[in-house]
Amino acid sequence: TAKNAREEQKGEFLAVVKGTLRRLADDGLDRKSLAAAINSYEFQYREADFGRAPKGLIYGLRCLDSWLYGGDPLLHLRYEDTFAFLKKAVDEGYFEDLIRRYLLENPFEAVVVVKPEKNLTARRDAETARQLAVYKESLSDEQIRGLIRQTRELKQYQETPSSREDLEKIPLLAREDISPDPEPLNWIKSRIHGIDVINTPCFSSGISYIRLLFNMNRVPDEELQYAAFLKAVLGDVDTENYGYRDLASEILLNTGGISASTTSYVDVNSRENFIGVLAVDMKVLHDKLSDGFVLLAEILAGSKLDDAKRIGEILKETRSRARMLLENAGHQAAVGRAGSYFSAAAAFNDRTGGVGYYKFLEEESRKFDEDPGELIGKLKSAASRLLTRDNLIISCAGDEEGFTGLEPAMTKLCEALPSGDGTVFETAFVPDNKNEGFKTSSQVNYVARCGNFRKEGYEYTGALRILDPILEFDYLWIRLRVKGGAYGCMSGFGRSGDGYFVSYRDPHLRATNKVYEDVVGYLENFDADERDMTKYVIGAVSEMDMPLTPSARGARCLNACLCGITNEMLRQERHQVLSAEPEDIRALAGHVRAVLDTGSLCVIGGEEKIEAERDLFGEVKALFRG
């Protein structure tokens, strides 16, 4: 796939693809790259980390890949023989033969060109309106009355709750069936080679999950986004001892992957304080721990940041991926942007990974061809300030064997990183409700309304956990999805006091915002019997008690350590969830009113809809340039 290409480049595109495939088939694939790729997939199969998806579900789907077509249902679960075959096949021309058979000599081939057409949506809408008008003219009065009657019946059905008799046919746990104790936080804090290390002991199948945190308060405000760009550059440029392609192979041969990101940790006891970090994550088998840290040292201390050609390629790729993320996850971007109007932590997240970061990538892409020196200079400056030994915290999750091997493994990294001068920069945050409407070519909207309840003196309570399933699967679901036609709707309220409402792929805008504003009245009049309250409690606990992978367990403890969350807080929260009654939910009306009164609205959506509702916004602008 080539993105942002011109139609007349089709021949050039095919020449590159076919020529590369022919060269690889004739000259052979790089053996080290093949071995690295196979090792990477084998690591994934052994780790079996499917994120939020239950393992049983994924294993079941894998069984169906063969079982549905008459094969052995366990075929895709027995991976050892498959990987043994693939490793042996590296030296037998097997993969080159696959390229010839299925890519070069395959007669079933298509070249698809997707190109934009200005005002296409408007013309289609006009054609649909014309067809509907013609269809209506063809109907008799009786047929029209029938359609009206059916529509009225549909709305009545949507608004009529299921009968108590039908609902009680569904089996239900009792509150006493739920454990009153939360899973405890369990971490050990120590210092190794002068570096703070947070260890989370857990069974991890011989894998260590390592996270390196570099506090981004070491860079001045004008370099913050350049420091954030390091997450795309590190591991993808030449280093002192490797070209970037060879480095990629070394990473996959010796680890389960190394990646970088930016994130923030908010102090739950003082919502104004947060730690913004560049995080570098590595997962590695215990016996490869030293090799993994050698690679981390190579990447963090030995990356060559002055290759303008390579930096330019990464910049374009990163901008393209960031744009695709905004298009596919506009609800997350809208929430992040709306939060940035009043929250310093959200503003940091937006500037380093949201709409603000994309705008930075757009601007740097525009300037880079004329003057690559500015970006490269600031990138090197940010790296020298940020990637130092005195600015490092390490998190480790895994078996005891992995933690025992951590101290000798860390030696090479500690020797490679400079000590740093300890300079810290303060970033002033000024709240500003811009209330932006970002126009795109989409026909749907992502409508986010955000705010903070602690600013108005309301404290966090476990009942807010129950508010999530009540709103998402009752109030918001019925009004935004069932009646409004949005594909999804979400809400959330955190310990820092930040709260949000957001819709996903929503045909509406003003009406959705009105639904958010009516939440207060809904809560003031909320009532539920014991069965319904129990269902809501179960919904909240199911999210709290989701089984954790070793990686997620380590992230949970690290988050608690840096944000100030204690076991006592978790016990109090769980008690408040399990003992919640309707009056506790009604008492949350003030929390929600405070969130809405913050007045932070951001919409990413169709140009026509945003222009029609322009009075809702302080600023209206295009999300993407050109």
Side-chain angles (χ1 to χ4, degrees):
T1 301
K3 291 182 287 187
N4 296 326
R6 298 185 304 277
E7 185 178 7
E8 58 268 24
Q9 290 180 293
K10 183 176 77 169
E12 180 185 353
F13 168 73
L14 288 172
V16 170
V17 172
K18 295 285 188 180
T20 301
L21 291 173
R22 177 59 63 191
R23 176 177 57 78
L24 292 173
D26 293 344
D27 300 343
L29 290 152
D30 181 80
R31 297 291 182 263
K32 193 172 186 179
S33 295
L34 270 176
I38 293 169
N39 181 72
S40 174
Y41 274 101
E42 184 175 11
F43 193 103
Q44 290 177 33
Y45 268 77
R46 291 187 182 279
E47 183 183 29
D49 182 353
F50 307 115
R52 293 175 64 88
K55 280 188 181 181
L57 173 64
I58 302 303
Y59 286 155
L61 292 173
R62 285 184 177 173
C63 290
L64 291 174
D65 283 343
S66 52
W67 199 6
L68 282 174
Y69 309 103
D72 177 3
L74 301 183
L75 175 66
H76 296 297
L77 301 186
R78 298 191 190 105
Y79 56 81
E80 300 240 2
D81 289 345
T82 299
F83 281 110
F85 168 83
L86 292 174
K87 291 172 183 176
K88 184 171 179 287
V90 167
D91 296 316
E92 298 176 348
Y94 173 77
F95 294 95
E96 289 81 0
D97 185 54
L98 291 179
I99 292 175
R100 292 188 192 94
R101 194 186 324 165
Y102 294 113
L103 301 178
L104 289 171
E105 298 166 4
N106 190 340
F108 301 100
E109 175 185 292
V111 179
V112 180
V113 178
V114 180
K115 56 181 181 178
E117 185 177 327
K118 196 171 182 63
N119 296 324
L120 178 62
T121 299
R123 288 201 297 274
R124 284 179 172 171
D125 288 346
E127 176 60 20
T128 299
R130 187 194 65 79
Q131 292 175 354
L132 287 172
V134 171
Y135 176 64
K136 184 178 180 181
E137 286 295 321
S138 70
L139 299 175
S140 67
D141 290 345
E142 179 58 32
Q143 288 174 316
I144 291 175
R145 285 193 295 271
L147 287 173
I148 294 172
R149 184 180 65 257
Q150 290 172 4
T151 302
R152 188 179 296 118
E153 290 170 353
L154 172 62
K155 288 185 176 180
Q156 182 180 0
Y157 172 77
Q158 291 173 332
E159 294 171 358
T160 302
S162 299
S163 70
R164 173 60 53 184
E165 181 183 9
D166 286 340
L167 291 174
E168 290 181 353
K169 294 174 183 176
I170 303 172
L172 192 67
L173 292 170
R175 296 198 204 195
E176 52 267 26
D177 295 325
I178 303 171
S179 170
D181 300 315
E183 180 175 340
L185 298 166
N186 178 30
W187 76 80
I188 303 167
K189 193 170 183 179
S190 60
R191 281 185 72 80
I192 301 177
H193 298 303
I195 294 170
D196 285 339
V197 176
I198 300 164
N199 177 44
T200 303
C202 59
F203 174 73
S204 62
S205 301
I207 299 171
S208 290
Y209 295 89
I210 307 296
R211 167 164 274 204
L212 277 55
L213 303 179
F214 295 94
N215 196 325
M216 291 179 73
N217 66 2
R218 293 300 182 92
V219 298
D221 192 62
E222 62 271 16
E223 290 184 4
L224 179 66
Q225 292 179 300
Y226 296 94
F229 184 51
L230 282 169
K231 65 187 176 185
V233 173
L234 295 174
D236 212 13
V237 293
D238 294 347
T239 64
E240 295 294 337
N241 296 301
Y242 298 102
Y244 69 90
R245 292 187 180 88
D246 292 332
L247 177 65
S249 295
E250 287 295 321
I251 290 171
L252 295 180
L253 276 170
N254 291 285
T255 76
I258 296 175
S259 61
S261 61
T262 53
T263 189
S264 63
Y265 298 89
V266 181
D267 184 349
V268 298
N269 299 302
S270 175
R271 63 177 180 78
E272 301 295 340
N273 296 328
F274 75 95
I275 303 171
V277 300
L278 174 74
V280 180
D281 292 285
M282 174 178 71
K283 47 189 177 183
V284 59
L285 293 171
H286 295 337
D287 60 0
K288 289 276 192 178
L289 198 57
S290 291
D291 296 321
F293 270 93
V294 168
L295 286 170
L296 287 174
E298 183 77 20
I299 292 168
L300 296 172
S303 289
K304 296 180 178 179
L305 303 178
D306 49 8
D307 183 345
K309 181 176 182 295
R310 182 61 189 150
I311 296 295
E313 291 170 350
I314 294 171
L315 180 61
K316 291 176 181 176
E317 291 171 6
T318 305
R319 176 191 171 188
S320 177
R321 289 176 186 149
R323 175 168 178 158
M324 187 160 47
L325 183 63
L326 291 179
E327 291 172 333
N328 294 337
H331 60 304
Q332 295 174 0
V335 167
R337 187 67 169 187
S340 74
Y341 303 155
F342 62 87
S343 163
F348 169 86
N349 293 335
D350 179 74
R351 292 184 65 195
T352 58
V355 173
Y357 182 60
Y358 176 76
K359 292 297 183 183
F360 162 78
L361 295 173
E362 260 192 347
E363 181 63 17
E364 291 301 318
S365 297
R366 184 186 65 80
K367 298 188 301 185
F368 189 80
D369 290 337
E370 297 176 6
D371 181 21
E374 181 184 4
L375 173 59
I376 289 173
K378 290 187 176 179
L379 199 61
K380 293 169 73 173
S381 174
S384 66
R385 296 177 190 271
L386 186 67
L387 305 177
T388 62
R389 193 165 59 250
D390 68 319
N391 188 36
L392 174 60
I393 296 174
I394 294 181
S395 166
C396 174
D399 305 320
E400 179 62 29
E401 181 186 349
F403 186 65
T404 303
L406 190 62
E407 182 171 359
M410 283 173 55
T411 303
K412 286 290 185 183
L413 177 64
C414 294
E415 292 174 350
L417 290 177
S419 58
D421 62 13
T423 303
V424 173
F425 296 88
E426 294 291 334
T427 301
F429 169 69
V430 180
D432 181 11
N433 259 2
K434 297 178 182 177
N435 288 6
E436 296 157 300
F438 289 101
K439 299 184 292 185
T440 70
S441 59
S442 174
Q443 298 180 58
V444 292
N445 309 297
Y446 303 95
V447 184
R449 185 75 179 267
C450 302
N452 188 283
F453 56 80
R454 287 182 64 176
K455 288 182 178 180
E456 299 301 321
Y458 293 96
E459 291 302 320
Y460 178 81
T461 168
L464 287 163
R465 285 276 201 171
I466 303 174
L467 195 55
D468 288 350
I470 289 175
L471 293 179
E472 290 183 27
F473 300 117
D474 186 356
Y475 178 85
L476 294 178
W477 179 269
I478 291 172
R479 287 157 181 79
L480 297 185
R481 175 156 180 159
V482 176
K483 296 180 183 178
Y487 192 81
C489 48
M490 287 140 273
S491 63
F493 306 88
R495 289 183 181 272
S496 66
D498 289 351
Y500 72 87
F501 302 96
V502 68
S503 62
Y504 180 83
R505 298 185 63 82
D506 188 348
H508 302 292
L509 196 165
R510 185 183 296 272
T512 295
N513 189 50
K514 181 66 165 59
V515 168
Y516 299 156
E517 292 178 342
D518 289 344
V519 171
V520 174
Y522 168 79
L523 292 178
E524 288 174 337
N525 296 288
F526 177 83
D527 198 15
D529 61 19
E530 175 57 26
R531 181 181 175 85
D532 284 339
M533 279 304 300
T534 299
K535 285 195 299 183
Y536 295 137
V537 168
I538 291 171
V541 173
S542 68
E543 184 72 21
M544 298 165 69
D545 286 0
M546 183 178 294
L548 298 176
T549 63
S551 174
R553 198 177 299 276
R556 175 178 182 255
C557 287
L558 176 62
N559 182 74
C561 179
L562 296 181
C563 296
I565 299 172
T566 66
N567 280 310
E568 179 53 38
M569 288 180 181
L570 297 183
R571 282 191 289 271
Q572 181 183 31
E573 176 189 53
R574 194 174 186 88
H575 171 73
Q576 290 167 339
V577 169
L578 293 178
S579 62
E581 299 297 342
E583 55 266 29
D584 297 304
I585 304 303
R586 289 194 290 271
L588 299 177
H591 292 68
V592 172
R593 183 184 291 107
V595 167
L596 293 168
D597 285 349
T598 305
S600 296
L601 171 72
C602 179
V603 178
I604 296 175
E607 178 176 2
E608 183 179 336
K609 182 68 71 173
I610 286 179
E611 286 290 353
E613 311 288 6
R614 180 179 274 269
D615 62 294
L616 288 175
F617 304 105
E619 300 178 24
V620 170
K621 61 191 81 172
L623 181 57
F624 307 119
R625 176 188 289 138

